[in-house]
Amino acid sequence: MDNRRQFLARGMGLAALGLTSGTALADSATLRSFHQALGRNPMLSLYAGSEGDQSGDAVLHGSLPDDLRGVFYRNGPGRFELGGERYHHWFDGDGFAQRWQIGGGKVSHRGRFVATQKFAEESAAGQFLYPAFGTHIDRKAARNNDTVNAANTNLLPLNGRVYALWEGGSAVEVDPATLETRGIKTWRDDMKAMPFSAHPKMDPDGGLWNFGNLPGSDRLVLYRLNAAGELTRTAMINVPQLNMVHDFVVSGRHLIFLVPPYDMRPGDDLSLRESLQWNGERPLRAVVVAKDTLQLRQVFELPGRSVFHLGNAFEDGACTRLDCVMHEGDMLPRLALPMHGEAIPYSAGSSSTVQITLDYAAGQAREARLFGVGEFPRVAPQVVSARHRKLAVLGASAGAEHILNTVNLIDTDSGKADSYRFDAGWQVEEHVLVPRRGAGTGAGSETDGYLVGVAQDARRGQTVLTVFDAHNIKAGPRALARLPYRAPLCFHGNFLPA
């Protein structure tokens, strides 16, 4: 790819990722503020981080399905403090990969830090050296975006291998069984250090689609891998004012990206998050790329909101429909609050789960509300890029505006939700739909299986694997597998059937 070097050089990410020397802005005051608040609010323990590897067997409560066998891989930020300093944003922590082994009536857990170059060098130095997404640090110059790769967002099993993903750099391979770090994955020699996002989408043939973006580059790089994990197609498209894209969806004929209205505010002493300036006067854009040509097809405009996660997309005649969670205004500062000892607000009206219809002939995007405050939408793996009728999403119940404490399976046709609320002191993580062995692909197949996830019991300081029957969420978990310790809060993961 001839313009790889220009893409990396143009990325505002590299300027904001600290190529000069100066003072560090990770600070002890943030650390003190957090630990003072932790004494008053045990829910903040979820953002305290971890110091070492973990391994243990879970105590099983309830009935684990005989046909639920495999590994549930998870990833999220695990280290926020070092050398008496604390990061300023939840997205900054070093990746802590987790592996839940399920089967034979037993559940075991293993957790391990992803030993990136950044993690290894900072561990040896006993202090943070490199910039992070929301914390300006420039004690040591970064050679490229992989120098600061936190590998903290997702864990992807693919063709017998497992990769820790972070949206600003390369995939990092880890051992599927031990989670020991194997090193940076370069899909092709001319793609070295190119960003490979944390939200790849599987295709029905077993391959996957992904993208990469560096804020300020105004370009998206597109990837197509086959089922063997080989890179078969790449392209680069120009998208003006392309500053943050975290996720995307794939339909039968299109790749669709939602671009929030951020402007860039350059500054040598700013973190990347501080460089992203919200501009609510501009629209949110839906950028549609044709799969067959990997060229831009059309751009739609919607009211300006922030968005992180999308559910699925499918073709509906001459239109494409997709699900996503929309947040009013700029959500990024709110996700920094736990680092300082404050709770993330999930108040009523602050976000909503919606389905968007893109009408190509009319050039218009229509929007229908599916659910209230929520996050982490997922669909069953067998319906990715095809017509779906069920969407799993987390929610915040009334009276619990600072915590995600409900698990919901939404009927996208009727808008009705099959929901379960956890007790006070619990916070839920992303849940995924796992088809029952032998489940088909027809009507009803999306609930022919299980909803599997993780929940944090903050009052007891324990992390719990949860298993629901997908056809009856409101009945509550049919199985809880409780660890004797608290594992770090994760962002995303995937279930690999045995």
Side-chain angles (χ1 to χ4, degrees):
M1 183 174 287
D2 295 337
N3 47 6
R4 163 187 167 271
R5 194 178 299 271
Q6 290 87 346
F7 176 87
L8 293 173
R10 289 183 61 184
M12 180 61 195
L14 290 182
L17 291 179
L19 296 176
T20 61
S21 61
T23 59
L25 295 183
D27 60 86
S28 57
T30 302
L31 185 145
R32 288 194 302 271
S33 175
F34 173 80
H35 285 277
Q36 288 170 359
L38 179 60
R40 302 186 298 270
N41 182 2
M43 296 304 297
L44 289 171
S45 64
L46 308 182
Y47 304 94
S50 181
E51 293 185 355
D53 298 346
Q54 296 178 329
S55 180
D57 295 327
V59 176
L60 186 64
H61 302 270
S63 173
L64 194 67
D66 292 336
D67 62 346
L68 182 63
R69 295 173 178 265
V71 180
F72 189 27
Y73 288 105
R74 303 279 291 149
N75 194 7
R79 181 168 73 176
F80 302 109
E81 300 173 3
L82 188 63
E85 297 175 338
R86 183 171 172 83
Y87 279 138
H88 292 175
H89 202 282
W90 186 20
F91 294 177
D92 294 347
D94 294 291
F96 190 82
Q98 300 185 41
R99 181 186 192 277
W100 296 82
Q101 180 77 47
I102 305 170
K106 298 179 181 179
V107 176
S108 62
H109 173 267
R110 179 186 296 272
R112 194 167 192 165
F113 279 103
V114 184
T116 61
Q117 175 185 343
K118 171 186 178 298
F119 181 82
E121 290 187 16
E122 292 180 338
S123 297
Q127 63 178 352
F128 294 127
L129 302 174
Y130 295 109
F133 171 78
T135 310
H136 174 67
I137 304 169
D138 54 8
R139 290 189 173 112
K140 191 171 182 179
R143 180 179 179 183
N144 59 33
N145 46 316
D146 274 339
T147 308
V148 297
N149 191 335
N152 70 0
T153 310
N154 202 351
L155 219 55
L156 170 72
L158 178 66
N159 189 38
R161 299 178 181 271
V162 175
Y163 301 99
L165 304 181
W166 177 69
E167 66 189 59
S170 302
V172 179
E173 186 176 354
V174 301
D175 186 276
T178 67
L179 300 180
E180 181 179 2
T181 302
R182 292 178 173 176
I184 292 289
K185 172 63 177 180
T186 300
W187 302 105
R188 199 171 64 200
D189 289 344
D190 63 337
M191 303 295 288
K192 185 177 181 181
M194 292 288 280
F196 187 82
S197 99
H199 284 282
K201 307 298 180 187
M202 302 300 295
D203 242 6
D205 66 1
L208 64 78
W209 293 91
N210 204 1
F211 72 98
N213 167 48
L214 284 179
S217 69
D218 290 344
R219 297 178 184 177
L220 277 174
V221 58
L222 308 176
Y223 301 84
R224 177 68 169 88
L225 278 67
N226 61 20
E230 301 166 329
L231 185 63
T232 59
R233 299 174 67 191
T234 62
M236 191 175 292
I237 62 172
N238 294 320
V239 182
Q241 295 178 302
L242 179 68
N243 296 318
M244 183 176 178
V245 178
H246 178 70
D247 195 1
F248 77 128
V249 281
V250 178
S251 67
R253 300 193 299 271
H254 301 101
L255 314 177
I256 303 168
F257 306 84
L258 297 183
V259 183
Y262 286 104
D263 295 330
M264 295 303 301
R265 182 178 62 186
D268 291 338
D269 60 347
L270 298 177
S271 69
L272 178 54
R273 192 210 69 77
E274 292 166 327
S275 298
L276 291 168
Q277 185 174 19
W278 183 255
N279 184 351
E281 295 182 359
R282 290 204 292 112
L284 170 76
R285 289 172 291 160
V287 175
V288 182
V289 176
K291 267 185 174 181
D292 55 354
T293 64
L294 293 186
Q295 293 182 355
L296 182 68
R297 175 180 177 180
Q298 201 161 336
V299 177
F300 298 84
E301 294 186 351
L302 295 107
R305 283 155 295 173
S306 53
V307 58
F308 294 107
H309 300 120
L310 293 78
N312 188 41
F314 61 92
E315 309 300 345
D316 183 11
C319 302
T320 304
R321 293 163 64 183
L322 64 142
D323 317 304
C324 70
V325 176
M326 296 283 198
H327 297 277
E328 298 300 324
D330 186 4
M331 187 64 181
L332 287 175
R334 286 172 261 172
L335 296 174
L337 293 175
M339 296 298 101
H340 304 267
E342 301 177 52
I344 299 172
Y346 290 106
S347 55
S350 64
S351 70
S352 57
T353 304
V354 303
Q355 187 165 92
I356 299 170
T357 299
L358 303 178
D359 187 328
Y360 297 102
Q364 295 179 344
R366 300 185 297 273
E367 189 175 314
R369 183 181 182 276
L370 293 175
F371 191 73
V373 175
E375 251 303 346
F376 300 106
R378 295 289 295 255
V379 297
Q382 69 268 30
V383 297
V384 171
S385 78
R387 177 71 164 93
H388 69 280
R389 291 176 172 82
K390 301 294 181 181
L391 181 71
V393 65
L394 305 184
S397 64
E401 289 81 5
H402 292 93
I403 193 166
L404 294 172
N405 67 343
T406 70
V407 176
N408 312 274
L409 193 61
I410 304 167
D411 185 308
T412 57
D413 289 336
S414 68
K416 294 181 179 180
D418 185 8
S419 304
Y420 178 79
R421 174 181 175 174
F422 282 82
D423 293 335
W426 286 72
Q427 175 157 322
V428 290
E429 300 182 18
E430 175 191 62
H431 280 55
V432 303
L433 286 159
V434 179
R436 192 187 308 274
R437 292 178 182 273
T441 59
S445 70
E446 293 169 77
T447 55
D448 187 11
Y450 311 101
L451 188 64
V452 180
V454 172
Q456 300 281 351
D457 184 351
R459 292 184 174 179
R460 296 178 62 175
Q462 295 176 330
T463 299
V464 184
L465 181 83
T466 65
V467 180
F468 294 81
D469 282 317
H471 68 272
N472 193 7
I473 305 300
K474 62 179 177 294
R478 62 172 293 167
L480 296 173
R482 184 181 289 270
L483 295 177
Y485 49 82
R486 181 187 62 79
L489 191 67
C490 286
F491 287 142
H492 302 290
N494 296 280
F495 187 87
L496 180 66

